[in-house]
Structure formats: structure tokens, C-alpha cells
């Protein structure tokens, strides 16, 4: 098991080891059906390399918070949440027509390029764009199946898996529901604060922090009191995490975010940040905002104008205030929680900073 400099488990490194071994087995399995399927496994390898590993980290420390023995196969189980995350990212990029993910071509663009190259060599073949979308949808489906397989073949006994399954089932339903709400918000062409807050909760907060904590704690034998206290920590922290992510989507450095600057403005993401601005902008600002927001061809000057409207309407400050409030709520809940392991308490405290203090 990988160790960090302090001698405890290096969760990201351990998760990468689990995923590499798992995908090695899947490649053998799929290429036995046909060598062409190596393309899907390679795309999965690229999609699962890198990233912050927040979801498996919260799962691991939820397990330790419940007094779970780290000698048990918790990293194998926690890796299921990284595979679930990749499934959601692949499908999300298709729905948003995103070109880039983590500084590299999004999965559907990668498959599109492969098909374009094949078509150029042979002089015929399927439409590269349609092929890329279809292949990425299948990749996302495979990763969703593999997430389930990773959990159920992790090595935990049937009783532990039965405790965790209710939360694993819940997170898959909730993130899918959140994705639909997000899609609906963009399709409506309107910014509604209530809808934006529900997207915030179900597409991100429960899925990124609360449910991974629950899954880990359930595997570790945690009781209902601990599960409830972890919700008190995980939900506000998850909301703060997504609010920070929304700010990064507008103001972030591409070197940090792995996506083009202002990409969320081009995609027309109806976030809490945007809903606040629409509610508080002047008539002149709102007219400019409506003219520009969601246009895929926005240039740098137009992106800067939208950013100024978000600043001047105090939408940015409102989100910063919400991040501060939610973070304080999370830390208070953690302080009150009956955490069985002092190392876990410190790790969960440190994860508050990792989740909310990324540079915009």
C-alpha cells in the first residue's frame, strides 16, 4: 500500500495503483472479444490518470473515521468512486460539447480524432463527430459498470458491502438526477436560484463529499450517529467545493483548471454565481449579459465584460461569502463529530482546505 511522507496512506497513489491493475484485467477481457476494444480501455486509462482523487479520499477517511482497519481493502473500494466520477465526466463533456478535460481532449473529441484519422486513411467511414459522441457514451457506460465491479470485487465481506450499497445506489441516482437538472437549467435559458442550488447539491455536494464519506463509514461499520454527523460536514463542504469550482470555471487559470478560460460562460452554465448576477445586475448590465452569455464564439474581450458584470453585481462576493459560511459549518460539524481516529480527523480538516481554497 502506498504511503505518504508522514507514513500514512497516500490515497491518490494507492487509487492509481488499483485502477491500473483493474484496467489491465479489463483490457485482457475486452481484447479477447476484439482487439479494437483496446481503444476503449486506453481512453479509460487516460481519463483515470490525474485528477484530485477527492471522492476516493473522502471515502477512505470516512472509513477511518468509523474506526476501519486500513489493512482492509478500502482503497480498492474507494477506487469505485473515481471510476464513477470518470463516467460522469465523460457523459458531462458530451452533453456540454466540451473540447477539453484536464488539459487534454475530452473523450468524445479523442474518439472523433481517431475516426477522422481512419477515414482519412481509407477514404471512407462514419461521420467522425457522431462516432466520437457514440464511443464516448459507451465509455461512460463502461466506467459506470466498472465502478460497480470495483466495489463488489474489492474484497470486503457481504455484510460490509450490504451496508455500503444503499449509499452507493443513492449517489448514482443523485448524480444522474443532478445532471438532468443541470441540463434542464441550461435548456431553459433562464437563471433560477432554487434550481441552481438543487443542481449544486445533487450534481456535486452529495456526490463529491457526503456520499463518499457515507460509503467509507458504512464499510468501516460506522453507526447512524456517525453517518449523520458526516452529512453535517460533507454537505456544506460539498456545496463550498462546487461554488469554488464555479468561480474557477469563469475566472480560473487554464493551467489550474485544465479547461479554456471562461469556458462556463461559453457553455452557458446556469450556476449559483450566474443566478445571483441575474437577480442583482442593473438593466444595462443584464441586457449585455443576455446578449453574450452562452455564446460559444465569445472572444477574450467579451469574456472580460461578462466577468466585470459578475464582479460589479457582487455575484462573486456573494459566492465567496457562501464558501466561507459553508466551510465554517463543515468545520463546526467535524469538531462535534465522534471520529474514532485522530489521524482521520486531521485528514478531514486538511481536506476542507483542499476542497475550497483552490486559487481562482
Amino acid at each position: 500500500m502506498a504511503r505518504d511522507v508522514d507514513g500514512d496512506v497516500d490515497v491518490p497513489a494507492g487509487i492509481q495503483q488499483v485502477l491500473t491493475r483493474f484496467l489491465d484485467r479489463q483490457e485482457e477481457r475486452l481484447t479477447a472479444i476484439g482487439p479494437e476494444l483496446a481503444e476503449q480501455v486506453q481512453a479509460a486509462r487516460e481519463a483515470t490518470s490525474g485528477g484530485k482523487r477527492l471522492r476516493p479520499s473522502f471515502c477512505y477517511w470516512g472509513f477511518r473515521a468509523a474506526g476501519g482497519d486500513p489493512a482492509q481493502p478500502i482503497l480498492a473500494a474507494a477506487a469505485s468512486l473515481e471510476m464513477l466520477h470518470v463516467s460522469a465526466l465523460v457523459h458531462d463533456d458530451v452533453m456540454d460539447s466540451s473540447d477539453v478535460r484536464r488539459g487534454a481532449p475530452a473523450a468524445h473529441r479523442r474518439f472523433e480524432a481517431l475516426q477522422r484519422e481512419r477515414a482519412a486513411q481509407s477514404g471512407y467511414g462514419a461521420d467522425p463527430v457522431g462516432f466520437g459522441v457514440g464511443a464516448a457514451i459507451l465509455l461512460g457506460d463502461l466506467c459506470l459498470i466498472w465502478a460497480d465491479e470495483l466495489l463488489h470485487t474489492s474484497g470486503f465481506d457481504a455484510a460490509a458491502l450490504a451496508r455500503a450499497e444503499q449509499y452507493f445506489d443513492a449517489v448514482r441516482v443523485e448524480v444522474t438526477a443532478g445532471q438532468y437538472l443541470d441540463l434542464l437549467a441550461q435548456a431553459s435559458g433562464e437563471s433560477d436560484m432554487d434550481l441552481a442550488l438543487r443542481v449544486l447539491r445533487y450534481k456535486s455536494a452529495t456526490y463529491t463529499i457526503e456520499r463518499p464519506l457515507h460509503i467509507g463509514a458504512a464499510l468501516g461499520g460506522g453507526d447512524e450517529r456517525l453517518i449523520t454527523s458526516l452529512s453535517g460536514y460533507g454537505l456544506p463542504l460539498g456545496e463550498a467545493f462546487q461554488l469554488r469550482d464555479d468561480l474557477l470555471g469563469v475566472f480560473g487559470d487554464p493551467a489550474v483548471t485544465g479547461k479554456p478560460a471562461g469556458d462556463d460562460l461559453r457553455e452557458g452554465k446556469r450556476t449559483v454565481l450566474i443566478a445571483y448576477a441575474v437577480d442583482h445586475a442593473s438593466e444595462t448590465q443584464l441586457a449585455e449579459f443576455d446578449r453574450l452569455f452562452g455564446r460559444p464564439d465569445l472572444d477574450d474581450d467579451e469574456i472580460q465584460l461578462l466577468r466585470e458584470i459578475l464582479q460589479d453585481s457582487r455575484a462573486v462576493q456573494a459566492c465567496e461569502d457562501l464558501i466561507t459560511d459553508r466551510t465554517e459549518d463543515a468545520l463546526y460539524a467535524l469538531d462535534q463529530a465522534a471520529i474514532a481516529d485522530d489521524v482521520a480527523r486531521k485528514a478531514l480538516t486538511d481536506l476542507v482546505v483542499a476542497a475550497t481554497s483552490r486559487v481562482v
Side-chain angles (χ1 to χ4, degrees):
M1 189 178 289
R3 300 277 168 179
D4 67 12
V5 292
D6 296 321
D8 216 306
V9 171
D10 183 340
V11 177
I15 293 299
Q16 188 59 57
Q17 291 171 7
V18 170
L19 292 172
T20 297
R21 291 194 298 267
F22 179 82
L23 288 172
D24 287 344
R25 296 194 298 273
Q26 297 308 316
E27 184 163 16
E28 291 180 12
R29 184 181 186 182
L30 287 179
T31 55
I33 298 172
E36 303 87 349
L37 287 160
E39 293 177 359
Q40 285 278 347
V41 179
Q42 183 56 35
R45 290 187 193 280
E46 292 180 11
T48 54
S49 64
K52 296 176 286 294
R53 311 294 196 207
L54 282 177
R55 291 151 194 85
S57 292
F58 281 110
C59 180
Y60 176 85
W61 291 112
F63 175 79
R64 292 284 298 271
D69 181 354
Q72 290 186 282
I74 183 57
L75 288 178
S80 67
L81 289 159
E82 189 67 18
M83 194 64 80
L84 175 63
H85 183 48
V86 168
S87 171
L89 292 181
V90 169
H91 285 161
D92 195 47
D93 285 343
V94 170
M95 288 185 283
D96 290 342
S97 298
S98 298
D99 294 327
V100 177
R101 172 64 65 181
R102 294 176 179 167
H108 62 290
R109 298 302 185 207
R110 181 183 184 280
F111 285 118
E112 178 185 330
L114 284 172
Q115 180 59 17
R116 200 177 299 282
E117 183 180 337
R118 279 193 288 260
Q121 291 173 351
S122 65
Y124 64 91
D127 166 44
V129 174
F131 177 85
V133 168
I137 289 170
L138 292 172
L139 174 63
D141 291 346
L142 268 176
C143 290
L144 184 60
I145 295 164
W146 287 339
D148 189 75
E149 185 174 341
L150 272 162
L151 178 61
H152 286 93
T153 61
S154 61
F156 278 95
D157 62 32
L161 289 174
R163 292 194 301 269
E165 279 171 356
Q166 61 178 310
Y167 302 111
F168 193 66
D169 289 344
V171 72
R172 288 181 292 175
V173 170
E174 288 162 354
V175 72
T176 303
Q179 285 278 27
Y180 182 77
L181 291 176
D182 188 32
L183 193 65
L184 188 63
Q186 288 179 254
S188 72
E190 298 180 359
S191 290
D192 176 86
M193 183 62 79
D194 174 69
L195 181 55
L197 285 168
R198 282 187 287 142
V199 171
L200 179 77
R201 171 161 291 197
Y202 292 107
K203 187 182 175 184
S204 185
T206 60
Y207 152 73
T208 301
I209 301 178
E210 183 193 26
R211 294 307 190 190
L213 286 166
H214 287 172
I215 291 165
L219 289 169
D223 59 19
E224 283 300 316
R225 181 185 172 201
L226 177 63
I227 296 292
T228 299
S229 64
L230 289 175
S231 287
Y233 161 83
L235 264 178
L237 182 57
E239 292 179 355
F241 164 82
Q242 187 56 47
L243 288 163
R244 176 64 65 206
D245 211 52
D246 292 342
L247 287 169
L248 285 168
V250 174
F251 296 94
D253 181 347
V256 175
T257 65
K259 299 187 77 173
D263 220 31
D264 283 4
L265 297 174
R266 294 188 180 94
E267 293 175 9
K269 287 282 189 181
R270 298 281 172 175
T271 62
V272 170
L273 174 69
I274 300 304
Y276 189 94
V278 168
D279 285 346
H280 293 83
S282 69
E283 288 187 14
T284 301
Q285 289 174 327
L286 193 55
E288 280 293 277
F289 189 87
D290 288 342
R291 181 177 68 85
L292 297 173
F293 183 66
R295 263 183 35 200
D297 61 344
L298 288 176
D299 62 28
D300 290 345
D301 289 340
E302 290 167 330
I303 286 173
Q304 184 56 34
L305 178 56
L306 286 170
R307 287 170 170 167
E308 289 172 3
I309 293 171
L310 294 172
Q311 292 275 12
D312 293 344
S313 66
R314 295 191 57 79
V316 173
Q317 188 58 53
C319 283
E320 291 288 0
D321 291 344
L322 282 170
I323 289 169
T324 299
D325 290 346
R326 298 294 195 269
T327 300
E328 289 176 354
D329 289 345
L331 287 170
Y332 177 80
L334 182 62
D335 185 57
Q336 302 302 306
I339 304 295
D341 184 327
D342 288 340
V343 175
R345 185 182 295 279
K346 181 180 184 305
L348 290 170
T349 303
D350 292 344
L351 280 168
V352 172
V353 177
T356 62
S357 300
R358 294 164 294 160
V359 176
V360 173

